[in-house]
Structure formats: structure tokens, C-alpha cells
């Protein structure tokens, strides 16, 4: 390996887990190495599957694993293209692939959905940094990719269960290389007849996505630093006054006293304990932000900060390398400690703090942030020791090429292991603990949870947004590949900050963003401190922006029964919700790189304007019957005329779409009459379905407390 501490004898274990899933792991037979303590993916106890759709060949010299698709003898996965490296702090495996149609792996800004195979190195290690045009490692770690083999739709997926810092290199062969600096090599390969089937196989293993509450599919407003609760209410009132469909209001860290979790500013947000009731009176919800880092300092009035005192007494913090002393860093509130969510005592402390605060300030959902974990100083207030964890012999191409940049020292100790091994699991463990808090706060209710940092399988507990984007046309474009990727990863509840988080937006950018954002599953307009307001109403009650925002949000609310049914399928079988065009039309090679448009499920095609000064777009229309949503006239075209107030929206023939008369909130819309939009195909036939329950209770599927209708129409003359 050239870096020393090579492990010369390794153990290969293969498991034929299902007819479509093969697992192999390469371990050190003489020494236990770190393995991810995943709550959903454990050791396999079943017997070997039969009727396999793959066959596996192990080559001895040079060593290699070759996986072939049985039906056509195509080699899908061939590691003989490069050497296996297995040293204590460098493990590497390369894989020759049958096609260059590679999608997934994150979290990064991929400017296009299909990977550029021209020698790109993508680092993975959770990091607090906003998306940009750089090839940075962002907030989450998702090691899964999907490969579309050819126009038959045959596809397979590859997933490495490893949480150490790593690189994913894409090469023109086509081939990919995984290079990690710890743990073991633990690979899963999934076969499918279609890309959608591969995603379903993957999510069955790592955890099917959460089922969102119906209200959380409504439009949400937020910003960092409203300045006061009075200003929050002004924003709420002006957006109610324009009759904007609008379900939830969020407050960022400025509601807190000196940015301390589980407190509120008793001057600027004096009436916050009554704010949820004020929202509920209108059928709306209130969501708060919580960060992990906990201040060590007293409250403004000099009294001890209870959350810190209680956590300190239970010893729930991440500790220094001695395993005893709490590691000190600095985040928004100043000097902080960091809860170790991998410690069961920490989880129970966190649940209790969420409850105690909810008793004072009622809230309906939780947004967790800064959980990469972010630290504003390098490592700790004491610095980090010179050793092979903080300064490994090989550092992947992460930001600054420094392991503890903007986070904790790598030799810090958590219950699950050294921070070196578990760093990228911080947001994952925090999401699990926060889901437990929600279960305790809202028994029998789904509530709401989004997390900035994610790991494989986090989507079972939390949604995600694409982080601290900017008010630029590039960021508007890049949100689409980001949403498509997170649907592969099992996070169908995904969106980007509408109109952009940092920088001043413009009327045109915000207008186009509100149009497409009306079709983000997680639909939130969010804004940073110090920039001009961008809630729709601020542009004027009769502005084009307000009118087009209302128009498309009303279409969203009309189609919520369709969207909710898609989420039911995501939750029960692993379907994508925001779907790449290629998942439905893979036989057409042009679709393999389409990423300026997207589908809701199989039937609704969204074609937004993504550039300034444009009223015509070249859209790709796959080979099917399509109806323009507004006019329900049959269309076949490539050039779309989309003036200032228009977005391309088309219904695919052959599908039946359940609808409901919209309203300003989902509480109101759910009381309204329902309907069906029937779009016939060339055979004058169509089918569709509807899942319907109370929209907020947990366990409705298991207890069969729902309606499921299937609709078919045929022989229409």
C-alpha cells in the first residue's frame, strides 16, 4: 500500500442473501476492525438463496471478484481491473462496470445527474459546508450508486457499508474505485430488471423511507433571523392575507436565548409559548430548529443552563481521547460540548430535554442542523494530538485535507468508537435519537423531522434538504440532480431552499424557483440572515410572483392525494417519488442524461425554466401520450413557450390521478371534495390508485386503518 501496516492475509466471506442481492466482505481474520453498528443492516442469518440471478467467480491470482448476470452472462462487477489494497489505514477496491450510466454517491453537488467518468474524485466525509461548484464533500455520506446497463432497463446497484473518510473515483474504463481509511470492505450488489427495482432492493436492505405526515407536504416558510416574533407574525399574516397555500412556519436559531438549545429569547420572542396555538387556530403548524452543540455557559440571568447541567450529570458528551474529559469546542452559542448520540444515556437525556422544552414552548416538528458534526474551531479548544488518527498516513481529498477541520479531533471517544470511525455517523445517530423524542412528544403521530447530515438508512427516520444553497441560477439547476440522487438513497422527502438561502434573491429567480419548488416534496422557502425578504407576499399582493406561486401551489395541493400515494409506495416498497425520466423511459437513450426535468412518480412531468431572461425551453418529451395540465390538450413537442408565470407541467396518458380541491392549509383541503383526472393512453385506457388515511397517525398501514382504491378505465369510445 506504500503507507505501511499492510494486512497480508485477509478473509473473504460471501453471502447469497437473496436471488437479487449478493454480499461480500473482506476482513482481517486476526484482529477485529471497526464495523458500522447499523440499526437496520446487521449480520445475515438466513440460508443461502436459490434461483440466483447472478453468479460469482473468485479469481486467485491476481485476486478478483467477478459478478455476472445469469440471464445474458454480462459481467456487472469485476475487481480484477485494479489491485486490492488492505492496510490498517488504507483499503481500496476498483470495479470495472459494463456501462458509463452511473448515478448516485454523495453528498456532493453533481452538476449533472449521470456521472462524468473522466477521472473524477469525489470525497466522502460529513462536513459543514454549503453546496458550490467545487467537488467538496458535503453534509452526508451515501455510498450507493446505480448503473443502468442498457436500453432494456437491466440495472444493478453497489453499496459499501463503511463510515470512514473515503474517496470514490470515477474512471473512463468505465470503472469506479472506493478508497477508504478505516473499517472493512463490506460490499452489497443488487440486481434489477429496471432502475426502480434496484432502488427497491437497496432500500429493503438499508431501511425503507419514512411516511411523512400529510401536513408536512404543504408549503413551509422559514428564515434565519426574523429579529423578533412580531416580525414572524407580520410575515405569517401577510402570506395568509394573499391566500397562499401555506401549512407551516419555521424559526431558526434566533428564537433561542443566545442560540442555546431548549431556550427562547424572553425579550424578542417573549410570546413564543403561545405561537403554536396562534398557528393552530389557522390550521397551520410550528417547527423549531435544534443544533447538537450545547453551551457550557450560564443563562442571561446568571442561572445555570439546565440542559447542560443535566447532560453533565449524566456524562453524555463526546469525550477527549482519555474517554473521560468532555471535549470542548465552539459553535453558535460560544463554548460548547457535543452530545454523544451513540450513547443510550445521551438519547434519553435528549428525549427528556425535547419534552421539557415542549412543555414551555409547544411545537409540532423538529429540524436538526449542524450535525456533521460542526465545530467552529479545529478539533477542540485544546487542539488535536499528533497521531495517526488526527493525521493519518493517507488523507482523502476532503476539504482542507485535514481530518478535524471544522469538526472534532479524530481521537475523540464516543460509545460506538473513535470519532475517526464514527464521525460520519453523527447526524445518523442524532436523527435516531430525535425520532425517539418525536415518538415521546407526539405518541402515535408522525410529526416532522429533517436533518442536514445523513448516512445510509437515515431516510427511515428523517427527511433532508440540500443545505445552505445560494440565490443563483446554478443552484436552482443543481437542486434537480440532488433531489434525484436522494431519491435513490431513500430520502424521497427532499427539497432545496426555495429562492436560495444565502445572497439576495431577485424577483425573476425567486419567481422561477417558486414555480419549480411547488413540486419539491419538501417544499420550503428559506432565507439567511442579512438578506432581503423573499416570502412570496413581500413581492406585493398582486405581483406576478404571488399569482404564479399561488397558481402552482394550488396545483400541488390539488395533487397532494397523488403525491401522498407515491409516498405510501416509497414507504412500503422503496419507490422513488421525484423520479428521473430515465426510470420510466430507459429504452430511449436520450433520457439517460435528462436532469433539467423530473417526474412525480410515473405520471407528472415537470419542466421548469432554469435560466434568466428565458421564456422558451427545449424540453425532452419521452415517447408517450402527454396532456398539458392547464388545458388538458394532447401535446407532442420539444420547444415549450413558458412566459413569466408559466412552468411546463404535463400528465402522462394511461394514468389516473387522484385529486382534492385545494385550500390554504391541508387541514382545510382534506375536508374538500375529491376527484380523479383520467388521462387516456393510445388504447383509450388508464389506471391509478389512491392511498388515504388520517394523514398523521403512525401504524395506519400495519393496523389497516386506511382506504386503498385502484382505478381502471378501458374501452372508452
Amino acid at each position: 500500500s506504500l503507507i505501511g501496516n499492510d494486512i497480508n492475509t485477509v478473509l473473504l466471506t460471501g453471502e447469497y442473501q437473496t436471488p437479487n442481492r449478493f454480499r461480500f466482505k473482506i476482513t482481517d481474520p486476526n484482529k477485529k476492525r471497526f464495523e458500522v453498528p447499523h440499526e437496520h443492516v446487521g449480520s445475515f442469518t438466513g440460508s443461502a438463496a436459490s434461483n440466483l440471478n447472478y453468479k460469482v467467480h473468485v479469481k486467485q491470482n491476481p485476486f478478483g471478484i467477478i459478478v455476472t448476470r445469469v440471464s445474458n452472462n454480462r459481467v456487472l462487477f469485476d475487481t480484477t481491473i485494479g489491485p486490492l489494497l488492505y492496510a490498517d489505514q488504507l483499503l481500496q477496491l476498483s470495479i470495472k462496470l459494463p456501462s458509463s450510466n452511473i448515478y448516485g454517491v454523495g453528498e456532493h453537488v453533481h452538476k449533472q445527474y449521470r456521472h462524468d467518468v473522466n477521472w473524477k474524485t469525489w470525497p466522502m466525509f460529513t462536513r459543514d459546508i454549503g453546496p458550490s461548484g467545487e467537488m467538496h464533500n458535503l453534509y452526508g455520506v451515501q455510498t450507493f450508486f446505480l448503473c443502468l446497463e442498457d436500453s432494456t432497463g437491466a440495472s444493478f446497484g453497489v453499496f459499501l457499508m463503511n463510515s470512514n473518510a473515503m474517496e470514490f473515483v470515477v474512471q473512463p474504463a468505465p470503472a469506479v474505485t472506493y478508497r477508504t481509511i478505516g473499517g472493512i470492505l463490506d460490499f452489497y450488489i443488487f440486481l434489477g430488471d429496471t432502475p426502480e427495482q434496484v432502488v427497491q432492493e437497496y432500500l429493503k436492505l438499508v431501511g425503507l423511507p419514512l411516511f411523512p405526515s400529510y401536513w408536512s407536504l404543504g408549503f413551509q416558510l422559514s428564515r434565519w433571523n426574523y429579529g423578533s416574533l412580531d416580525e414572524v407574525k407580520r410575515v405569517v399574516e401577510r402570506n395568509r392575507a394573499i391566500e397562499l397555500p401555506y401549512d407551516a412556519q419555521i424559526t431558526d436559531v434566533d428564537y433561542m436565548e443566545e442560540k442555546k438549545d431548549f431556550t427562547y429569547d424572553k425579550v424578542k420572542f417573549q410570546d413564543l409559548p403561545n405561537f403554536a396555538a396562534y398557528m393552530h387556530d389557522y390550521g397551520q403548524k410550528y417547527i423549531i430548529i435544534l443544533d447538537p452543540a450545547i453551551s457550557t455557559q450560564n443563562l442571561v440571568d446568571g442561572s445555570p443552563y439546565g440542559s447542560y447541567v443535566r447532560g453533565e450529570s449524566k456524562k453524555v458528551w463526546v469525550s477527549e481521547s482519555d474517554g473521560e474529559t468532555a471535549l470542548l469546542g465552539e459553535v453558535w452559542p460560544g463554548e460548547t460540548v457535543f452530545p454523544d448520540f451513540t450513547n443510550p444515556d445521551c438519547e434519553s437525556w435528549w428525549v427528556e430535554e425535547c419534552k421539557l422544552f415542549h412543555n414551555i414552548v409547544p411545537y409540532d416538528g423538529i429540524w436538526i442542523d449542524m450535525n456533521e458534526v460542526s465545530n467552529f474551531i479545529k478539533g477542540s479548544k485544546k487542539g488535536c494530538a499528533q497521531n495517526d488518527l488526527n493525521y493519518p498516513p493517507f488523507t482523502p481529498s476532503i476539504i482542507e485535507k485535514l481530518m478535524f477541520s471544522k469538526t472534532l479531533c479524530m481521537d475523540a471517544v464516543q460509545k460506538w468508537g473513535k470519532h475517526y470511525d464514527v464521525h460520519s455517523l453523527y447526524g445518523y445517530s442524532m436523527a435516531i435519537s430525535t425520532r425517539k423524542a418525536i415518538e415521546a412528544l407526539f405518541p402515535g403521530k408522525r410529526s416532522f423531522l429533517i436533518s442536514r447530515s445523513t448516512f445510509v438508512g437515515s431516510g427511515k427516520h428523517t427527511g433532508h434538504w440540500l443545505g445552505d444553497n445560494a440565490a443563483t441560477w446554478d443552484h436552482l439547476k443543481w437542486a434537480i440532480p440532488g433531489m434525484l440522487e436522494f431519491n435513490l438513497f431513500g430520502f424521497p422527502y427532499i427539497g432545496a431552499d426555495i429562492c436560495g438561502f444565502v445572497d439576495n434573491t431577485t424577483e425573476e429567480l425567486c419567481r422561477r424557483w417558486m414555480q419549480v419548488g411547488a413540486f419539491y416534496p419538501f417544499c420550503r422557502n428559506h432565507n439567511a440572515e442579512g438578506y432581503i425578504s423573499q416570502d412570496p407576499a413581500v413581492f406585493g399582493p398582486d405581483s406576478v410572483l404571488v399569482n404564479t406561486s399561488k397558481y402552482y401551489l394550488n396545483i400541488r395541493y390539488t395533487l397532494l392525494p397523488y403525491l401522498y400515494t407515491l409516498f405510501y409506495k416509497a414507504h412500503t416498497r422503496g419507490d422513488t417519488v421525484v423520479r428521473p425520466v430515465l426510470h420510466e423511459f430507459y429504452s430511449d437513450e436520450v433520457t439517460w442524461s435528462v436532469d433539467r426535468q423530473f417526474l412525480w412518480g410515473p405520471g407528472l412531468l415537470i419542466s421548469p425554466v432554469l435560466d434568466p431572461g428565458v421564456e422558451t425551453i427545449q424540453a425532452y418529451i419521452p415517447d408517450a401520450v402527454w396532456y398539458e395540465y392547464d388545458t388538458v390538450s394532447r401535446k407532442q413537442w420539444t420547444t415549450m413557450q413558458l412566459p413569466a408565470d408559466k412552468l411546463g407541467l404535463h400528465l402522462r396518458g394511461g394514468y389516473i390521478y387522484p385529486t382534492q380541491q385545494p385550500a390554504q392549509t391541508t387541514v382545510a383541503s382534506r375536508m374538500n371534495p375529491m376527484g380523479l383526472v383520467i388521462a387516456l393512453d393510445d388504447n383509450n385506457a388508464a389506471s391509478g390508485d389512491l392511498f388515504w388515511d388520517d394523514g398523521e397517525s403512525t401504524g395506519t398501514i400495519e393496523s389497516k386503518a386506511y382506504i386503498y382504491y385502484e382505478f381502471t378505465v378501458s374501452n372508452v369510445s
Side-chain angles (χ1 to χ4, degrees):
S1 69
L2 304 179
I3 66 158
N5 289 334
D6 286 19
I7 294 156
N8 293 316
T9 304
V10 295
L11 174 66
L12 170 67
T13 310
E15 295 171 351
Y16 301 109
Q17 293 191 349
T18 75
N20 287 318
R21 183 170 87 220
F22 174 63
R23 177 208 193 177
F24 71 89
K25 61 180 193 169
I26 302 174
T27 53
D28 181 348
N30 301 314
K31 184 180 167 208
K32 178 88 177 118
R33 295 177 58 78
F34 177 76
E35 296 187 35
V36 176
H38 198 277
E39 53 131 23
H40 213 272
V41 185
S43 51
F44 185 71
T45 51
S47 52
S50 51
N51 301 323
L52 302 177
N53 291 317
Y54 54 86
K55 53 176 193 275
V56 181
H57 174 58
V58 179
K59 280 185 79 170
Q60 295 299 331
N61 211 356
F63 169 77
I65 295 170
I66 299 167
V67 180
T68 308
R69 184 181 283 277
V70 167
S71 61
N72 57 7
N73 285 323
R74 178 187 286 130
V75 175
L76 304 182
F77 183 103
D78 181 354
T79 71
T80 60
I81 192 171
L84 166 69
L85 298 184
Y86 212 104
D88 185 38
Q89 288 183 276
L90 182 63
L91 300 84
Q92 175 177 309
L93 194 70
S94 296
I95 307 152
K96 172 98 170 62
L97 303 173
S99 108
S100 298
N101 299 315
I102 303 163
Y103 309 92
V105 169
E107 183 175 7
H108 313 107
V109 170
H110 296 141
K111 297 178 186 178
Q112 56 192 56
Y113 180 51
R114 181 168 64 175
H115 270 274
D116 177 351
V117 296
N118 193 24
W119 297 101
K120 299 291 184 200
T121 299
W122 297 98
M124 283 184 273
F125 193 56
T126 61
R127 165 76 191 221
D128 171 5
I129 188 157
S132 70
E134 305 298 315
M135 294 175 64
H136 288 154
N137 48 301
L138 301 184
Y139 311 105
V141 166
Q142 303 292 336
T143 61
F144 170 81
F145 74 85
L146 182 147
C147 180
L148 172 70
E149 298 160 41
D150 59 30
S151 58
T152 66
S155 306
F156 68 99
V158 174
F159 156 52
L160 170 62
M161 179 59 95
N162 183 293
S163 59
N164 287 86
M166 69 175 91
E167 292 175 344
F168 179 76
V169 188
V170 194
Q171 299 130 71
V176 297
T177 298
Y178 284 94
R179 184 182 297 127
T180 182
I181 62 170
I184 63 167
L185 295 178
D186 188 0
F187 280 95
Y188 292 80
I189 300 157
F190 312 87
L191 273 70
D193 296 331
T194 65
E196 200 68 5
Q197 271 183 27
V198 173
V199 177
Q200 292 166 350
E201 289 282 344
Y202 171 59
L203 297 181
K204 262 186 267 182
L205 175 74
V206 301
L208 290 160
L210 61 79
F211 194 23
S213 53
Y214 199 91
W215 66 261
S216 71
L217 300 178
F219 176 69
Q220 305 177 24
L221 259 185
S222 178
R223 85 165 296 165
W224 171 26
N225 205 354
Y226 281 106
S228 70
L229 187 59
D230 289 344
E231 176 61 17
V232 177
K233 286 185 172 176
R234 271 194 291 275
V235 171
V236 172
E237 293 289 347
R238 71 186 179 218
N239 285 280
R240 287 176 178 176
I242 60 167
E243 299 183 348
L244 186 79
Y246 165 31
D247 261 86
Q249 179 63 48
I250 304 176
T251 53
D252 206 323
V253 291
D254 44 299
Y255 77 81
M256 302 174 185
E257 180 187 287
E258 296 188 321
K259 303 187 172 74
K260 289 181 173 74
D261 275 355
F262 311 116
T263 67
Y264 72 99
D265 185 323
K266 305 223 176 28
V267 178
K268 293 177 180 160
F269 283 78
Q270 181 183 355
D271 199 35
L272 198 61
N274 298 312
F275 184 64
Y278 160 83
M279 294 297 289
H280 295 169
D281 285 348
Y282 203 78
Q284 294 171 307
K285 304 290 191 289
Y286 173 47
I287 296 164
I288 62 164
I289 193 173
L290 290 172
D291 291 337
I294 297 293
S295 169
T296 60
Q297 307 301 301
N298 286 346
L299 297 173
V300 169
D301 65 6
S303 63
Y305 173 34
S307 300
Y308 171 68
V309 173
R310 289 183 289 272
E312 179 68 15
S313 72
K314 293 193 170 89
K315 298 283 175 241
V316 300
W317 317 127
V318 176
S319 63
E320 294 180 6
S321 59
D322 63 6
E324 296 289 328
T325 316
L327 182 146
L328 294 177
E330 253 177 56
V331 195
W332 295 118
E335 182 182 271
T336 57
V337 287
F338 299 89
D340 175 13
F341 293 102
T342 72
N343 175 350
D345 292 341
C346 179
E347 183 174 279
S348 49
W349 162 81
W350 182 252
V351 170
E352 188 58 26
E353 295 305 317
C354 289
K355 275 199 210 155
L356 290 171
F357 187 58
H358 185 267
N359 291 341
I360 302 164
V361 175
Y363 51 88
D364 300 300
I366 302 174
W367 156 30
I368 53 177
D369 196 20
M370 306 292 289
N371 50 351
E372 291 72 31
V373 58
S374 179
N375 178 9
F376 293 169
I377 55 177
K378 290 188 164 94
S380 84
K381 289 192 86 166
K382 292 182 182 172
C384 298
Q386 185 77 42
N387 58 38
D388 278 349
L389 296 179
N390 292 318
Y391 299 94
F394 170 78
T395 299
S397 54
I398 57 175
I399 295 167
E400 290 187 57
K401 283 282 242 183
L402 183 69
M403 296 294 292
F404 50 84
S405 170
K406 212 168 183 187
T407 191
L408 315 183
C409 298
M410 293 295 118
D411 56 1
V413 177
Q414 296 186 235
K415 191 80 171 176
W416 283 356
K418 293 281 190 195
H419 197 70
Y420 179 88
D421 294 315
V422 305
H423 167 84
S424 291
L425 301 174
Y426 195 95
Y428 170 75
S429 60
M430 185 182 183
I432 291 172
S433 294
T434 310
R435 178 52 66 187
K436 289 281 196 316
I438 282 169
E439 288 165 2
L441 285 169
F442 312 109
K445 299 280 190 276
R446 286 171 236 164
S447 180
F448 168 94
L449 177 61
I450 52 165
S451 174
R452 193 169 72 179
S453 185
T454 65
F455 185 71
V456 169
S458 295
K460 179 183 172 184
H461 302 287
T462 181
H464 177 59
W465 86 106
L466 296 171
D468 294 344
N469 65 0
T472 71
W473 292 90
D474 274 342
H475 284 229
L476 172 63
K477 290 183 193 77
W478 298 339
I480 296 176
M483 286 199 303
L484 296 175
E485 286 167 349
F486 271 89
N487 271 266
L488 298 185
F489 303 149
F491 297 78
Y493 192 65
I494 178 76
D497 286 343
I498 295 168
C499 299
F501 176 65
V502 299
D503 299 335
N504 286 324
T505 197
T506 65
E507 185 279 335
E508 183 189 14
L509 175 64
C510 194
R511 167 166 39 86
R512 292 303 194 185
W513 214 323
M514 283 296 296
Q515 289 169 358
V516 65
F519 300 94
Y520 290 176
F522 168 53
C523 175
R524 175 182 76 161
N525 176 320
H526 181 45
N527 192 2
E529 183 177 50
Y531 301 105
I532 59 169
S533 295
Q534 61 186 38
D535 58 285
V538 81
F539 292 90
D542 296 318
S543 61
V544 179
L545 186 143
V546 161
N547 288 333
T548 193
S549 297
K550 284 169 61 177
Y551 181 76
Y552 287 108
L553 284 171
N554 273 312
I555 291 176
R556 175 196 183 86
Y557 277 53
T558 300
L559 289 170
L560 281 182
Y562 174 68
L563 180 64
Y564 192 60
T565 302
L566 293 175
F567 269 103
Y568 161 72
K569 291 175 184 174
H571 175 66
T572 53
R573 19 174 244 227
D575 292 23
T576 58
V577 172
V578 161
R579 190 167 298 175
V581 175
L582 78 96
H583 278 218
E584 291 293 318
F585 299 97
Y586 42 73
S587 60
D588 182 348
E589 294 187 19
V590 180
T591 66
W592 299 353
S593 59
V594 170
D595 54 17
R596 293 175 65 114
Q597 298 162 271
F598 57 94
L599 291 158
W600 267 13
L604 184 73
L605 179 66
I606 296 106
S607 307
V609 174
L610 302 171
D611 294 291
V614 164
E615 294 199 348
T616 306
I617 67 165
Q618 294 300 312
Y620 181 72
I621 304 306
D623 184 22
V625 177
W626 294 94
Y627 300 89
E628 199 169 61
Y629 187 91
D630 303 341
T631 60
V632 199
S633 57
R634 189 166 162 170
K635 289 283 174 187
Q636 278 185 314
W637 41 188
T638 51
T639 302
M640 277 188 218
Q641 296 296 326
L642 300 173
D645 62 342
K646 281 285 177 272
L647 157 130
L649 199 59
H650 295 85
L651 295 167
R652 182 176 172 190
Y655 290 87
I656 297 175
Y657 305 83
T659 63
Q660 190 163 33
Q661 192 179 314
Q664 277 185 254
T665 67
T666 54
V667 169
S669 72
R670 282 181 62 91
M671 310 294 282
N672 285 344
M674 300 187 79
L676 298 173
V677 174
I678 299 168
L680 298 176
D681 64 14
D682 278 333
N683 301 316
N684 284 339
S687 62
D689 51 4
L690 168 69
F691 174 90
W692 197 251
D693 62 4
D694 69 10
E696 62 173 3
S697 297
T698 54
T700 55
I701 296 166
E702 295 75 7
S703 63
K704 303 217 166 4
Y706 64 85
I707 302 166
Y708 180 69
Y709 289 136
E710 289 181 310
F711 309 107
T712 53
V713 171
S714 57
N715 302 327
V716 177
S717 54

